[in-house]
């Protein structure tokens, strides 16, 4: 059901032509993705979120308020509705949404990974609003998130990025996430990577 909801929200935001192009690229292509991991053994020392940004964590009421005030937000701001997500980190500049990514754990949705323990989480569906690109918000948000999750008792963070997503890979250079392995999507089918239990 989550896939149908995702397609529906994509259609509502992008229209029929873009939706059909997305389906065609997903179904009739082979794509390589990088699985990145950060061990939360110590505090991430990379670049940090600038003080002019407000950070909202897991507050769905605040996210709902933002969605009611800002028209045309992309599908990444609706992952709670399409994939039953509950946890997220949202950066807001004034009243403008700047960046968001979602947090999934064991037993929750993942297209690429099988998480085996309760101290590992995967960051998914990150998105930087166009007017805030070029400010390294991906790396800043990832570093903030990793430090916050470490304080909450988590031991490891995963994220998966397409090989073709150059801007996101640049963000990785300034964060603690490093390549762990690669996985291929064959015509939208993915053999999930099992992430071993944290020892």
């Amino acid at each position: 059901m989550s896939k149908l909801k995702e397609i529906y929200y994509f259609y509502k935001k992008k229209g029929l032509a873009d939706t059909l192009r997305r389906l065609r690229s997903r179904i009739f292509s082979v794509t390589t993705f990088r699985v990145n991991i950060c061990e939360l053994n110590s505090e991430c020392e990379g670049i940090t979120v600038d003080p002019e940004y407000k950070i909202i964590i897991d507050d769905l009421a605040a996210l709902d308020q933002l969605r009611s005030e800002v028209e045309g937000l992309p599908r990444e701001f609706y992952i709670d509705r399409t994939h039953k997500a509950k946890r997220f980190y949202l950066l807001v500049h004034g009243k403008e949404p700047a960046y968001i990514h979602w947090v999934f754990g064991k037993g929750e949705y993942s297209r690429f990974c099988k998480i085996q323990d309760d101290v590992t989480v995967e960051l998914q569906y990150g998105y930087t609003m166009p007017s805030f690109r070029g400010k390294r918000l991906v790396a800043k948000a990832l570093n903030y998130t990793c430090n916050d999750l470490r304080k909450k008792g988590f031991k490891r963070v995963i994220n998966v990025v397409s090989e073709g997503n150059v801007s996101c890979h640049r963000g990785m250079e300034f964060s603690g996430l490093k390549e762990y392995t690669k996985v291929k999507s064959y015509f939208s089918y993915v053999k999930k990577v099992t992430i071993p239990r944290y020892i």
Side-chain angles (χ1 to χ4, degrees), residues 57-119:
I57 303 172
D58 302 343
D59 188 341
L60 287 171
L63 180 58
D64 276 335
Q65 180 68 28
L66 185 72
R67 290 187 291 214
S68 70
E69 294 173 351
V70 181
E71 292 185 6
L73 287 173
R75 69 187 184 99
E76 285 82 1
F77 285 82
Y78 294 86
I79 300 302
D80 55 318
R81 299 181 184 176
T82 59
H83 293 76
K84 299 181 180 179
K86 300 172 184 175
R87 296 175 285 177
F88 64 91
Y89 288 76
L90 169 66
L91 272 59
V92 178
H93 188 272
K95 293 188 177 181
E96 291 185 83
Y99 175 87
I100 193 169
H101 61 225
W102 296 81
V103 181
F104 292 79
K106 180 182 176 183
E108 297 178 317
Y109 175 81
S110 177
R111 183 182 173 197
F112 300 98
C113 300
K114 291 181 182 178
I115 295 175
Q116 304 294 303
D117 58 50
D118 294 320
V119 295

Side-chain angles (χ1 to χ4, degrees), residues 32-37 112-113 122 158-163 169 177-183 193 195:
T32 302
F33 293 84
R34 287 189 204 175
V35 179
N36 304 296
I37 286 184
F112 300 98
C113 300
E122 181 179 353
I158 304 163
N159 86 327
V160 184
V161 181
S162 166
E163 281 279 72
H169 290 305
L177 286 147
K178 306 296 182 185
E179 183 178 330
Y180 171 69
T181 189
K182 292 182 180 178
V183 62
V193 175
I195 306 298

Side-chain angles (χ1 to χ4, degrees), residues 111-148:
R111 183 182 173 197
F112 300 98
C113 300
K114 291 181 182 178
I115 295 175
Q116 304 294 303
D117 58 50
D118 294 320
V119 295
T120 301
V121 290
E122 181 179 353
L123 307 182
Q124 303 183 47
Y125 297 104
Y127 186 85
T128 306
M129 295 294 284
S131 58
F132 291 93
R133 291 174 186 170
K135 301 179 185 295
R136 297 181 180 172
L137 287 189
V138 172
K140 292 174 182 179
L142 289 174
N143 287 332
Y144 180 92
T145 299
C146 287
N147 284 330
D148 188 61

